[in-house]
Amino acid sequence: WLSVLIITLLFNNVRSQTWLPLFTLIAFAALGLIDELLNVFHIGPNGGGLRSRYKLIWQIIIAAVGAWWFYVKLGWGDSLVHPGVHLPGVGDIFIGYWFIPLFVFVLIGMSNAVNLTDGLDGLAGGLSIMSFLAYAVIAFSQGSYSLATFCVTVVGALLAFLWFNIYPARFFMGDTGSLALGATLGVIAMLTNTVIILPVIGVVFVIETLSVIIQLIYRKARNGKKLFISSPIHHHFEAIGWPETKITMRFWVIGAVAAMAGVILALVGH
């Protein structure tokens, strides 16, 4: 994220469409970095790190600041400037003040979804590359060239990271990477008005999150019994004997197909 910050400030013509994703990237990365440092120095409960509730509170605060920026500064609260949430093949639905909770929900949901997916070497990094590439194409097709350039800058940084993160990993993403990437992906989906397509482009992130939610609900309903051997679901496949590289590659294939499908939906249904 430091590479993205430097390159964006030096070489990208930073406009209003780029400040918000850049702010989100750095703010969520800083939150994740604090959590990681507390872990390294064993400060905090259960061996170190921020309590989950405190991390969530800070995620909400950062997302709320971004929502205000999005709604007021960028004019998404004005129906004459932005007609509303775009439904592919249907049209736009203006939701007024509901843009704010939607923005917060999307950022927090995506940041935690990517965080949950970051459990195998190269998994979250490779899937993030596909998602940001998809949004680079979408942004470019909309004439948002600064935003498209920002997405490609993130892809470049991720490719450099992935070179050392593929199995066996020498560098690890951690919260400082996963929280930032997920939240930034959510912002770009909001800015390109393709939030409805985000679950398609990031389908693996969605599946990983749903597997955790389903596991929790199932355990409570069945007195502690598990539906999956382990969750998120990539650990379930590990438990049944799939090699780590096999899981990662197959999830990459699913992510690539989903990213292409999302781009087609965005372009055809615009």
Side-chain angles (χ1 to χ4, degrees), residues 5 18-30 61-67 69 103 107 150 180 184 187:
L5 173 64
T18 312
W19 282 120
L20 182 54
L22 187 61
F23 159 78
T24 303
L25 179 76
I26 301 307
F28 273 85
I61 291 171
I62 297 169
V65 172
W69 195 336
F103 188 96
L107 260 67
F150 177 84
T184 305
V187 169

Side-chain angles (χ1 to χ4, degrees), residues 154-168:
V154 175
V155 170
L158 277 168
L159 284 169
F161 164 76
L162 193 62
W163 183 268
F164 300 98
N165 182 241
I166 55 175
Y167 184 87

Side-chain angles (χ1 to χ4, degrees), residues 1-253:
W1 56 259
L2 184 60
S3 301
V4 175
L5 173 64
I6 293 170
I7 292 172
T8 301
L9 292 177
L10 288 179
F11 300 108
N12 191 2
N13 185 9
V14 181
R15 301 177 181 177
S16 58
Q17 60 186 233
T18 312
W19 282 120
L20 182 54
L22 187 61
F23 159 78
T24 303
L25 179 76
I26 301 307
F28 273 85
L31 176 62
L33 179 61
I34 291 170
D35 186 41
E36 296 290 358
L37 288 173
L38 292 176
N39 268 309
V40 169
F41 294 105
H42 305 291
I43 301 171
N46 302 319
L50 288 170
R51 289 184 181 274
S52 298
R53 68 171 74 95
Y54 296 143
K55 188 188 295 185
L56 179 60
I57 288 170
W58 277 108
Q59 285 178 305
I60 293 172
I61 291 171
I62 297 169
V65 172
W68 169 82
W69 195 336
F70 177 80
Y71 189 79
V72 177
K73 290 291 186 180
L74 299 183
W76 282 81
D78 187 348
S79 60
L80 297 177
V81 179
H82 297 286
V85 175
H86 183 70
L87 302 179
V90 177
D92 300 314
I93 300 176
F94 187 70
I95 59 175
Y97 289 110
W98 286 101
F99 267 123
I100 294 175
L102 175 64
F103 188 96
V104 173
F105 172 77
V106 170
L107 260 67
I108 294 175
M110 282 306 300
S111 66
N112 287 295
V114 177
N115 185 246
L116 288 171
T117 307
D118 182 32
L120 298 178
D121 294 349
L123 181 57
L127 291 170
S128 295
I129 287 172
M130 296 167 197
S131 297
F132 277 99
L133 271 177
Y135 273 108
V137 174
I138 292 170
F140 189 85
S141 71
Q142 295 177 356
S144 300
Y145 303 124
S146 291
L147 190 59
T149 302
F150 177 84
C151 290
V152 173
T153 303
V154 175
V155 170
L158 277 168
L159 284 169
F161 164 76
L162 193 62
W163 183 268
F164 300 98
N165 182 241
I166 55 175
Y167 184 87
R170 293 170 59 191
F171 294 154
F172 299 92
M173 183 177 291
D175 284 7
T176 193
S178 59
L179 292 180
L181 290 169
T184 305
L185 199 60
V187 169
I188 293 169
M190 294 296 294
L191 289 172
T192 54
N193 204 3
T194 54
V195 70
I196 301 300
I197 300 174
L198 180 58
V200 177
I201 292 176
V203 68
V204 177
F205 299 132
V206 174
I207 292 171
E208 293 273 22
T209 304
L210 287 175
S211 70
V212 174
I213 295 171
I214 292 170
Q215 181 86 315
L216 290 172
I217 294 173
Y218 190 88
R219 289 185 67 174
K220 288 186 177 181
R222 298 297 301 274
N223 296 320
K225 292 183 179 179
K226 297 180 180 180
L227 179 62
F228 305 110
I229 299 174
S230 182
S231 66
I233 199 166
H234 58 260
H235 289 313
H236 171 80
F237 289 114
E238 270 193 303
I240 64 175
W242 285 25
E244 182 173 340
T245 50
K246 184 177 184 178
I247 300 168
T248 299
M249 292 298 177
R250 286 189 170 176
F251 278 34
W252 279 4
V253 170

Side-chain angles (χ1 to χ4, degrees), residues 130 134 200-201 253-267:
M130 296 167 197
V200 177
I201 292 176
V253 170
I254 296 170
V257 173
M260 287 187 287
V263 170
I264 293 169
L265 276 174
L267 298 181

